[in-house]
Structure formats: structure tokens, C-alpha cells
Amino acid sequence: MERLTQYATGGGCACKIPPGELEEVLSGFGVLPPEEAEAELLVGLATGDDAAVVRIEGGAAVISTADFFTPVVDDPYDWGRIAAANALSDVYAMGGRPIMALNLLCWPRDVLPYDLAREVLRGGAQVAREAGCHVAGGHSVSDPEPKYGMAVTGLADPGELMRNDAGRAGLPLSLTKPLGLGVLNNRHKSTGEVFPQAVATMAALNAEAARAAAAQGISCATDVTGFGLLGHLHKLARASGVTAVLDAAAVPLLEGAREAVRDGYVPGGSRRNLDWVRPHLAADGVAEQTLLLLADAQTSGGLLLAGEIPGAPVIGHLVADRGHTVEVRA
């Protein structure tokens, strides 16, 4: 089998533009609304949420998002499943349900056979089918580096949206998938070792967690992807005007994650995440390896919820603003 990860400089969500650099690009980027808008914008650029949301005639909220990345595993079918689950996750993180997706495919057509691309698309279609979401076309370009993902449209009730700026002091914090995907994927890319627990976690939809959150009336959430738990928690706390207190010992980890950090398989994206959050972080006495795991760049990670749902561990809570966005306790 072709080792797809060897054709990519990065891997999965760890190949994202670093959050600090992205915010610098977007700073001062004023977008004037249309004079006669066809829909009311409910969620846009302001808080860096997971997707854009508009309210259309009739009252429904339409969610729009796009996500694609380089190979995170060598198996093309699994890569397709993971990339699709990751793209669909943004809709679930907003409290919506995906209804339609478009494939986004970049392919080195003179290097890798189209049979592999077909397997990638087949994996994406299978996960979309599990989500009850139509795949109705897409776009492809020739590219020296393979990339795949989806643009996804979803629907929600505007009154049941989950946003990253709706956190309140006193709410518990829950996480629905374990961490460690970035370091295990980096070990896979470096050594060829396969980690079925990581593949299963990444390919799993966040649909059940989103439904459970809706049933509990949770209104604040985000998904944990390329900016790591610390990065996404920082964004949530900053947008909500609170401080997040995190119990490091309560955060679930995938088997082998600590060993991967110990052995040096930390993606550059994870280190950049920690560097970005560190000025806003209080973490006295917390080991650097623990902080790297908490900042680990996840691909198709779980939902971070300001609330509790069955089966998801409580990993901390929100408190009134203490002058920093995140506080980690060992």
C-alpha cells in the first residue's frame, strides 16, 4: 500500500495555519454586510466559532462550514471516513444536523493512482451516509499534495444553537472524546505503526453527543480539533468572558498517548498551540508533557461542552474572569 502520509508535509488538523498567525491575518478584516441581505447572520467571524449560521425566511437556521486536510493515516478509506467525520463535526458542534455535503479533493494525479482517490471518496460517502447527509457533488483540483474534506450544510433551530460565546460561570465542562490523536498520528506517520483506537475515535461521528447536549439544553459548545483542547478552551472562555478551570487528571487520554509524547512524537502544530495559549494560561506545577497533551492538535476530536451529558467525563468548570482564560490544575 502507498503510505499516503508520506506525501504530506503535515497531517490532519495539525496542518492548519497556526491560530496566532490566523488571528493576525484576520485582524482588521472588516466584512461589510450586504445592503439587502437574503438572510440574517446569526454567527459570523466575530468569535471564531465552528461554523457560520444564518436565519432564513421561515425561521430555520442554516449552518455552513468547510474542512479539509492532508492524509492523517495511510489507509485511503479510513482517511476519507476521518475527514468526513471531522467536517460534519462543525455542524454538530453548533447544535445542528447535517443535510448536504460537497466533496473537496486535491490530488497529485501524476503521482498517486485514482484508485486511491476513489477509496478516499468512498470512505467519506460512507460516513456521510451514517450521518443521514447527502453527498451531492463537490470540487477537485490537481495538487502536488493530497487533501480531502467536505463543505457541509446543516439545519438547526435558532433557539437551540450551541455557540462558543454562551459560557457562564458555574457551568461544568465535559469532553466527549479522549485526547492524544495528534501525537499518535505523528507516530503513525513516522513509524508506520497503526493505532486502531485512534482511527476509531477519529471516524466516530459526534451526532449522539450533539443530540444528548440538545436534550440537556446545553447552549455553549465547540469541537476540539487542530487548536487542541487548550486552544479551543481559550477561544470559548475568551468569547464568553469567563475563565475555564481545567482538571488535567480528569481529561481522558487514548492508550499510548503519554508514551508518544515521552518518545518525542509531538507535532509542530501542538507545540504552536501551546505557545499561543501560554500567555493566557495559569498552570503552575503542571508538567510540560501534560500541557503538550492538552494542547495536542486533534483531528476529528470530541465536543467540548459547557454542561454535562451521560458518558462524557467532567474535566473542569467555568468561573468568573480571573484575568486569564484558562487555568490548569495538576
Side-chain angles (χ1 to χ4, degrees):
M1 181 188 295
E2 290 276 6
R3 291 207 59 209
L4 288 176
T5 55
Q6 303 310 295
Y7 291 87
T9 52
C13 287
C15 72
K16 284 185 173 182
I17 292 175
E21 294 178 18
L22 182 60
E23 290 196 341
E24 184 177 344
V25 170
L26 295 176
S27 64
F29 179 64
V31 179
L32 293 175
E35 292 182 3
E36 296 183 10
E38 295 290 343
E40 177 192 358
L41 183 66
L42 299 180
V43 181
L45 280 171
T47 63
D49 218 324
D50 295 294
V53 185
V54 295
R55 186 185 350 238
I56 60 173
E57 187 176 348
V62 177
I63 302 169
S64 184
T65 184
D67 211 313
F68 64 99
F69 48 65
T70 52
V72 69
V73 293
D74 291 323
D75 185 284
Y77 180 73
D78 283 342
W79 175 31
R81 294 166 61 221
I82 292 163
N86 181 73
L88 293 163
S89 181
D90 284 341
V91 173
Y92 295 129
M94 300 300 299
R97 57 193 187 281
I99 59 170
M100 184 182 71
L102 302 175
N103 285 315
L104 303 173
L105 179 69
C106 303
W107 201 254
R109 57 189 181 81
D110 295 328
V111 178
L112 292 174
Y114 282 127
D115 285 350
L116 295 180
R118 189 176 298 112
E119 281 298 288
V120 174
L121 294 173
R122 188 171 72 87
Q126 175 58 35
V127 165
R129 184 173 183 270
E130 293 170 12
C133 178
H134 294 287
V135 179
H139 185 63
S140 61
V141 298
S142 180
D143 192 314
E145 192 173 54
K147 304 175 185 73
Y148 173 65
M150 287 178 165
V152 185
T153 300
L155 288 177
D157 181 331
E160 296 179 359
L161 285 175
M162 296 193 297
R163 307 169 54 128
N164 71 354
D165 62 354
R168 303 189 313 276
L171 289 174
L173 292 166
S174 303
L175 183 64
T176 66
K177 286 185 183 182
L179 301 185
L181 294 165
V183 293
L184 290 178
N185 288 339
N186 199 27
R187 187 165 203 154
H188 168 68
K189 180 180 180 180
S190 300
T191 68
E193 296 174 76
V194 177
F195 300 98
Q197 70 276 27
V199 173
T201 297
M202 290 185 288
L205 290 168
N206 282 323
E208 283 298 326
R211 282 192 285 268
Q216 296 298 322
I218 292 173
S219 60
C220 180
T222 188
D223 64 344
V224 180
T225 54
F227 300 157
L229 175 61
L230 289 184
H232 289 284
L233 196 53
H234 164 63
K235 290 179 66 177
L236 184 153
R238 182 179 62 183
S240 299
V242 296
T243 292
V245 178
L246 188 64
D247 179 3
V251 176
L253 299 175
L254 284 164
E255 179 185 354
R258 286 194 182 278
E259 292 77 9
V261 173
R262 179 199 64 199
D263 295 341
Y265 295 103
V266 179
S270 300
R271 297 187 186 279
R272 290 190 291 270
N273 288 340
L274 182 54
D275 289 342
W276 176 57
V277 175
R278 206 184 291 271
H280 315 283
L281 178 68
D284 292 344
V286 180
E288 187 74 3
Q289 287 191 355
T290 297
L291 292 177
L292 284 169
L293 273 170
L294 296 176
D296 189 37
Q298 304 299 282
T299 297
S300 192
L303 298 186
L304 174 63
L305 304 168
E308 293 186 58
I309 62 170
V314 173
I315 60 169
H317 58 283
L318 300 177
V319 298
D321 186 2
R322 293 179 174 174
H324 45 260
T325 55
V326 183
E327 185 175 314
V328 181
R329 297 177 178 174

